[in-house]
Amino acid sequence: MLTSFSLTINGEKLAGASGNFDVINPATETVAAVAPLASVEQLDQAVTAAANAFKTWQHTPDEQRQSLMHKIADLIEANADELAEIIVLEQGKPMFLAQAEVGGAVAWTRYNADLNIPVKIIEDSEHKRIEAHHKPLGVVASITPWNWPLMIAIWHIMPALRTGNTVICKPSEYTPLNTLRLVELINEVLPAGVVNVVTGQAEIGGRISSHPGISKIVFTGSTPTGQRIMSSAATNLKRLTLELGGNDAAIVLPDADVDAIAEGIFQTAFLNMGQTCAALKRLYVHDDIYDALCNKLTEIAQAQVVGNGLEAGTTFGPIQNANQFRIVSELVDDAKANGARILCGGEPLEGNGYFYPPTIVADITDGVRLVDEEQFGPVLPVIRFTDVEDALARANSANVGLGGSVWSANIEKATQIACQLECGTAWINGHAEVLPHAPFGGCKMSGFGVEFGEEGMLEYTSMQVININK
């Protein structure tokens, strides 16, 4: 079991005033660690601390903020082994993927540190100069999910810090340990109160959503929770960035080279055991190459080594929690009942742990739950089509629109089709790739606002226009 963990409020390590809760290792179903449970009063203390710290942090010179953020990156790097082990124990992913998550966190921190906050000159004439500046909002609350616990916390925290805001983090109750440790490390560098962390479930989340002292919420998670946050946030017109559920469709054209694309499709569909917001979740394949691609994907799936992420050679870990494990099992059973053909997998593994092998499902179509609902797990439905306009209509029929992709040897034709996908990011011959410099967000019920790049950073600011008469 891991060592003890604490809340961090105003630079101090604190026990949870509401007691503790167990964090379960999904590979063993045993307790990985005991985490502190914050009270609503401790959340209020964190908001007060962040508000007080904001008074000075917002005026900290740019160069100083950038230097401190690079020191945070250095600390994450220096503690990479510990952070990766925590990720495996609480989240379940294989060690190589946990190490990549830590490496990504370092890269994202450094990228944000080096961003410049632009000043736009709107007019500079003989008698007038008008400038558009960007000012920090105040206290930002970050609410993160359980699939990429370190990386998504970094995605939320770093642009907030770069633009002069202070932060309160609330990690998922399934995977709080990484964020608790990360905020401890951050507090070795930053002034007290600039970054705080509390834990909790619906009560804490609800209080964050309606808290008058919080100016912005950045949330990654389910659409229903995002809707509740949006409703509660109306009390003080909080700014929101909501990155919500997706059901990403990919369209594979008949000219695609099956051998060239199969590995990329598999890896982007089953990234993090399929537990990724922008993973490829519905695969529409032209009839001409349908059987060949199904066979190739099955080969790749059967070559995976499913097991505990700490064990050498493991390429595929467990589903993170019992509830998601149940959902995935139900969706596959429903697909079977509707006549779908299971090419590999299709049943949970026996023994302890939430292990479900990579599963390829053929002879399935729209109207079956596995296609219509986001599975968020290691199952890929492969849907046959003959007319690309029909495939586009089916891809766009979902009420969510996070990502989508087109796979083809003809880049020009693929681009024409990709532009018609109703989603925030459309990839060509790829999927699920997020980059620190490329804005990322969804449309429809997948949320609004963007993360990453200059555009993502500026979501943590309000514009102030300076109008000068000379």
Side-chain angles (χ1 to χ4, degrees), residues 26 91 273 275 317-321 324-325 328 354-356 377-378:
Q91 203 283 328
M273 287 56 70
Q275 301 168 123
I319 293 172
Q320 200 282 322
N321 59 78
Q324 196 61 35
F325 183 71
V328 169
Y354 307 126
F355 290 104
Y356 205 102

Side-chain angles (χ1 to χ4, degrees), residues 172-367:
S172 165
E173 63 271 22
Y174 290 119
T175 54
L177 307 177
N178 236 284
T179 308
L180 293 169
R181 183 69 183 114
L182 171 67
V183 175
E184 273 186 16
L185 294 173
I186 289 172
N187 273 268
E188 292 180 24
V189 174
L190 298 185
V194 173
V195 179
N196 311 270
V197 59
V198 296
T199 54
Q201 295 178 312
E203 185 183 26
I204 295 291
R207 176 63 176 155
I208 287 172
S209 301
S210 61
H211 204 296
I214 293 173
S215 300
K216 176 184 172 70
I217 296 173
V218 52
F219 170 73
T220 303
S222 73
T223 296
T225 304
Q227 290 172 305
R228 289 195 294 273
I229 289 171
M230 188 172 178
S231 178
S232 299
T235 53
N236 70 334
L237 297 182
K238 284 180 181 59
R239 305 295 179 90
L240 297 173
T241 300
L242 302 177
E243 200 261 88
L244 309 178
N247 193 4
D248 286 19
I251 298 173
V252 184
L253 301 184
D255 66 1
D257 181 336
V258 168
D259 290 335
I261 66 171
E263 186 73 31
I265 285 175
F266 181 86
Q267 294 301 341
T268 54
F270 290 92
L271 176 64
N272 198 31
M273 287 56 70
Q275 301 168 123
T276 295
C277 298
L280 194 169
K281 299 193 171 96
R282 296 178 287 153
L283 184 63
Y284 293 89
V285 181
H286 193 274
D287 186 58
D288 288 356
I289 58 171
Y290 183 86
D291 292 328
L293 184 53
C294 282
N295 292 338
K296 193 69 180 176
L297 290 171
T298 300
E299 277 180 35
I300 299 168
Q302 291 174 329
Q304 302 306 306
V305 180
V306 181
N308 190 318
L310 291 178
E311 293 173 1
T314 295
T315 64
F316 212 88
I319 293 172
Q320 200 282 322
N321 59 78
N323 188 53
Q324 196 61 35
F325 183 71
R326 176 187 58 76
I327 291 168
V328 169
S329 300
E330 281 182 6
L331 290 175
V332 175
D333 289 346
D334 179 76
K336 291 178 191 172
N338 279 280
R341 185 161 51 104
I342 308 299
L343 300 182
C344 59
E347 295 283 349
L349 299 188
E350 293 183 3
N352 292 334
Y354 307 126
F355 290 104
Y356 205 102
T359 298
I360 307 294
V361 181
D363 299 339
I364 188 170
T365 191
D366 306 71

Side-chain angles (χ1 to χ4, degrees), residues 57 105 168 234 260 271 289 311 366 414 431 445 448 456 461:
W57 179 248
I168 294 162
L271 176 64
I289 58 171
E311 293 173 1
D366 306 71
H431 204 108
M445 296 296 279
F448 54 81
T461 67

Side-chain angles (χ1 to χ4, degrees), residues 306-428:
V306 181
N308 190 318
L310 291 178
E311 293 173 1
T314 295
T315 64
F316 212 88
I319 293 172
Q320 200 282 322
N321 59 78
N323 188 53
Q324 196 61 35
F325 183 71
R326 176 187 58 76
I327 291 168
V328 169
S329 300
E330 281 182 6
L331 290 175
V332 175
D333 289 346
D334 179 76
K336 291 178 191 172
N338 279 280
R341 185 161 51 104
I342 308 299
L343 300 182
C344 59
E347 295 283 349
L349 299 188
E350 293 183 3
N352 292 334
Y354 307 126
F355 290 104
Y356 205 102
T359 298
I360 307 294
V361 181
D363 299 339
I364 188 170
T365 191
D366 306 71
V368 178
R369 287 182 62 198
L370 180 59
V371 178
D372 293 356
E373 301 175 23
E374 181 183 28
Q375 69 276 52
F376 213 74
V379 183
L380 180 64
V382 189
I383 305 131
R384 194 187 302 263
F385 77 88
T386 52
D387 176 66
V388 71
E389 292 300 324
D390 174 55
L392 253 176
R394 290 152 81 182
N396 287 336
S397 66
N399 67 350
V400 287
L402 195 56
S405 61
V406 181
W407 302 70
S408 171
N410 186 329
I411 299 298
E412 185 179 352
K413 183 178 180 183
T415 303
Q416 290 173 350
I417 295 168
C419 289
Q420 297 176 67
L421 287 169
E422 296 170 1
C423 55
T425 300
W427 292 274
I428 293 167

